[in-house]
Amino acid sequence: MRYEIYIDVLFFTNFMMDSLILLSVRKILKYQVPTWRVLLGSAVGAGITCLVTVIPMPVFVKMTLVFFLISLVMIRIGLSVNTWKEFGKALGVLYLSAFLMGGILQALYPYMCTGKLFFATAVGSYVILTGGWKLLLRIQSMQKKVCKVRLVTGQKTYEIQALVDTGNRLTDPLSREPIHVIDREIARQIGVGSVTEIGKETCECKFSKFRYIPYRTVSGTGVMPIFRIEKMCVRAEQECWVTKPILGICGEILSDNGEYQMILNADIL
């Protein structure tokens, strides 16, 4: 049986698909490589694929080249990966991206009647793949709302757990800065006295400009003592330092199981 292969069509098709897959890997693994390098790696991979296709060789050799060696060459050139650990990670994501993108194309195959529509669908599958990955990361980040926070007051540092609450939009009426709420136990540790009397104007605090502000919740209204500390570090996906943040003191324990001792204003992110 004889097959007629158009080498230019084979090269362009492989170049386009390799480019979309490598771009997906770059986006998912957050590699800081320029687009021209990704395209170069895709072109090299497509070129080797054409050579493997037209040069006679045993089937197992072709399969080894196509499914392993070409992928490594593409990753090395297109993503500038150097270590074997990163090679393994990138190779796994590359295979997964190719599998998912192929599945999307297969699902839309009955609706593709021309070559132009195929190329448009391939680009659409890339958008769906990267958009789906971004959505998964967002869902994961919403499920992991608890992060570590470091409070710095003078020469002392306090490590606590904090909940990022999208419903906390409490701001200082004077400065319009966000307010982050701590529970009374943490407040006692960092220097606020008479914490059991919070809600009445009998608190003592070693910090300057200690004052009260009104607040409203679903359960009612009240007043909350607020004050500034020297600085605060929020450890989420990256470290975020905040100079002179405003802390408010809640008159009760924030978490019954002790999972967190602070509620961060969502504007911090």
Side-chain angles (χ1 to χ4, degrees):
M1 183 179 295
R2 295 183 59 185
Y3 294 94
E4 191 171 302
I5 299 175
Y6 296 92
I7 199 68
D8 55 341
V9 176
L10 179 64
F11 175 84
F12 181 75
T13 303
N14 278 274
F15 171 70
M16 184 195 67
M17 295 304 299
D18 291 345
S19 298
L20 294 177
I21 292 172
L22 279 183
L23 287 171
S24 300
V25 177
R26 183 184 69 168
K27 190 176 185 68
I28 291 173
L29 296 182
K30 298 180 180 179
Y31 287 140
Q32 301 297 322
V33 292
T35 302
W36 68 263
R37 192 175 184 97
V38 175
L39 297 179
L40 176 61
S42 303
V44 173
I48 299 176
T49 301
C50 292
L51 291 176
V52 171
T53 302
V54 299
I55 297 176
M57 63 182 67
V59 176
F60 76 92
V61 176
K62 285 192 176 186
M63 298 297 290
T64 302
L65 291 174
V66 170
F67 289 103
F68 186 70
L69 183 59
I70 295 177
S71 300
L72 290 181
V73 171
M74 289 169 51
I75 291 172
R76 175 66 186 91
I77 298 176
L79 301 176
S80 190
V81 173
N82 297 313
T83 64
W84 285 109
K85 181 179 179 180
E86 287 298 321
F87 264 119
K89 185 192 300 184
L91 191 63
V93 176
L94 184 143
Y95 285 151
L96 179 61
S97 300
F99 174 77
L100 294 176
M101 196 171 294
I104 297 172
L105 288 173
Q106 186 66 29
L108 299 176
Y109 180 78
Y111 308 99
M112 293 185 291
C113 55
T114 64
K116 292 181 180 179
L117 188 57
F118 167 77
F119 295 133
T121 306
V123 175
S125 66
Y126 163 77
V127 175
I128 294 173
L129 177 62
T130 54
W133 178 257
K134 186 177 181 180
L135 179 61
L136 288 176
L137 290 180
R138 181 173 296 180
I139 293 174
Q140 185 182 28
S141 64
M142 290 179 65
Q143 291 175 342
K144 296 182 179 180
K145 290 181 177 180
V146 178
C147 60
K148 292 183 179 180
V149 173
R150 182 189 306 166
L151 304 178
V152 180
T153 60
Q155 300 298 321
K156 293 185 178 181
T157 300
Y158 304 89
E159 297 278 351
I160 62 175
Q161 296 285 103
L163 175 71
V164 181
D165 187 2
T166 56
N168 177 20
R169 298 292 179 179
L170 186 63
T171 57
D172 181 10
L174 298 181
S175 65
R176 310 306 302 173
E177 296 177 61
I179 296 176
H180 313 284
V181 182
I182 58 176
D183 66 24
R184 57 188 181 187
E185 295 301 325
I186 298 300
R188 181 182 290 115
Q189 291 180 26
I190 64 178
V192 180
S194 304
V195 181
T196 55
E197 299 298 326
I198 288 176
K200 305 175 184 178
E201 298 192 14
T202 57
C203 297
E204 298 176 0
C205 181
K206 66 180 181 180
F207 301 97
S208 61
K209 299 182 180 179
F210 177 68
R211 55 192 173 84
Y212 285 83
I213 63 165
Y215 71 92
R216 176 179 297 176
T217 65
V218 292
S219 58
T221 60
V223 291
M224 175 180 292
I226 64 172
F227 60 98
R228 291 184 185 271
I229 61 173
E230 184 177 338
K231 55 185 175 179
M232 174 177 72
C233 177
V234 180
R235 297 177 182 175
E237 293 184 0
Q238 298 178 348
E239 283 195 355
C240 175
W241 282 95
V242 183
T243 304
K244 296 187 180 302
I246 302 178
L247 303 184
I249 306 174
C250 180
E252 56 188 23
I253 301 298
L254 295 176
S255 174
D256 293 334
N257 58 7
E259 184 180 5
Y260 54 89
Q261 302 81 41
M262 182 180 192
I263 297 179
L264 288 171
N265 192 303
D267 291 340
I268 193 68
L269 302 179

